[in-house]
Amino acid sequence: MRKIYIVLAAVFAVSACNNSTVPVYLDPSRSVEERVADALPRLTIEEKVAMLHAQSKFSSRGVPRLGIPEVWCTDGPHGIRPEVLWDDWNQAGWTNDSCTAFPALSCLAATWDREMSLLFGRSIGEEARYRKKDVLLGPGVNICRTPLGGRTFEYMGEDPYLAGQMVVPYVKGVQENGVAACVKHFAVNNQEVRRTSTNSVVDDRTLYEIYLPAFEAAVKEGGAWAIMGSYNLWNGEFNCHNHRLLNEILKGEWGFDGVVISDWGGCRDDDQAITNGLDMEYGTWTNGLRGAPSDSYNNYHLANPYLQRLADGRAGTKELDDKASRILRLIFRTSMAPEAHYGSFNSPEHYEAARRIAAAGTVLLKNDGVLPLSIPDGGRLVVIGENAVKKMVVGGGSSNLKTKYEITPLEALQEAFPNAEVVWERGYVGNVETSYNRVSTGQDLSESRPAPQLLADALSAAEGADAVIFIGGLNKSANQDNESTDKLDITLPYGQDALIETLAAAIPELIVVNISGSPVAMPWAGKVGAVVQGWYGGSETGHALADVLTGAVNPSGKLPFTLPCSLADGPLKTERQYPGIQEEGKEWWQEYYDEGVFVGYRWYASRDIPVCFPFGHGLSYTSFEYGPAKASRSSVRCSGSFGVDEGGESVVKVSVDVRNCGGRDGAEVVQLYLSAPAGDVERPVIELKGFEKLYLEAGKSGKAVLELPRRAFARFDADAHRWVVDPGTWSILVGSSSEDIRSTTEIKVI
Ligand code: BGC
């Protein structure tokens, strides 16, 4: 189709030389809005409707008569999905679609580095453009409300400010390539259990303070060109056509001018699909999620049912023109953009980016001086655990990828210590499955030894070793980090806790690497020599982990979510909170967000509940000394209320000097938390409102300067539908994690 566009443009260009004019919509020198305004009236009703719904699993129609191309989407969000069959989820079996797999988004969030997010966005955007994709289905920014959430690995942690800051550069980087980022899943979609039949009951304060800000940042600061509605309902209406969420908040309050795309099969109602803000319908089957004959896209809600309504007067053309305009805008921003983008695929730069990001996100949770590793030539390093060898780019649901290669931790450690003996023992058997949607890692993970033998073999291998590393954690099996199921608990599966305890009793310097995309409990943390939080790091995962373990990269990642001691410590105490309940007379499961804004560290800190490792925590092989935090003013006149679209102006600047006082170059994430004065409305005792990652050479100092806008002080007043800043003395806490506050200052809000 793109070829037709080029040919048509050329034909018109030639005729332009002959004094006839190029139609405005084909003229790349005209603005996007001029092109949309020119194209729209040229389209018939049938052509407009044809653009609003899928024609295959991942594409929708253009207007061939006018040379307007189809729209091609792809998952997202960690790499470009292999081509799937036209009307089937299985990969098509192409041999030229093995991509660079980038780290999972929880790892990106753990970098706390906006530059890394830009690098990620640019790189994946280049891969998408090369593969001729117009819409990348990602990134995801749903808040980690429960550590059980199956898709936590695809999201950016538990804090709305962190997620909001990290999503913006990603979106910009993708879109620089003429590819739309489709930010998902809008909104309050915080679990996988019954994701298509649960009504999230969330009050407006909680919605505006916790669950919307990252989406708001993606739209208002990132300028996202597309948003994906989520499967669940919010306050009684399905989110793919939720009037308040889409028409009032997204398109109204935030001025979103892009395309709202349904999650696949998330559209459920003919009339609401027309009136409630949805623009494009994609699906699993006809008629939403429910089964139906294949290849029947004309039966989609925004297909024949819409045409019938337009024909018999039940629907007017106002909504139709709005939807078609938005899709045309998307096309003029992407495949018909004035600048030609070609992208690149599997480039060395992309693999290098994947490795840098994965290393920067790796979090050193604990270190009793056993890391970085030093193994003498001729020495012996023993690696135990399935995740040292299991390739995990494959699997997990729609983020499943086919990558050109994946370096495992064991391979990377063998490479890092060529003159030592690096031995692997399995220790436990997890999941031996190695393929997903017909993408296979080609590994054989079968195992015949029983568990006691595996343990005995691990212990005997460890004897006399120079270092022993256990690499385990989760994988992307059902009920782990996986789309469409949630975890059942946060304890490690496959008997790993007992195994680690046994190993630690024999080897007190044991190094434990947990690979997961979501929080797990670490009851053994006090008994081992070091703990590292690794992630699904993509193609270069092993190299990145080895870089940190060997000290080639000084760790600088920080937790994007709390690691609680146990699930029971968290804010979700009842079934009505999670996973939801069935109520008399109600069609859908009801889930009440009774904990309100007390999510993640906001809960643990406010209720004084000890955690295993706190939000924002992460160590380095060097150490950092903080000077006093200084506010640019001692008082600020900014109390009172303001509208939902206001409050962006900076009202105070906080600066702090930080010195790298250890012997290695390293990076520190300086974090700023605000603590509100006591008042009538209960607020979390601390809330993250600023951070900056400083790269400091050994012995050198740097300054973090953190700007606080008025909105940073605000709470949402649901009755007034306005933000409110309360007067009083506010504490400004600056530190290395949410629990490691190094300097405190105050500001009087008048
Ligand atoms: C997922 C989306 C994904 C889509 C297309 C849905 O099931 O929820 O995140 O983009 O499928 O694969």
Side-chain angles (χ1 to χ4, degrees), residues 179 187 250 311 355 473 667 743:
V179 174
L250 177 68
R355 180 171 180 165
S743 178

Side-chain angles (χ1 to χ4, degrees), residues 287-302:
N287 197 7
L289 290 160
R290 287 142 287 167
S294 53
D295 226 349
S296 47
Y297 296 95
N298 285 340
N299 296 326
Y300 275 34
H301 300 277
L302 286 183

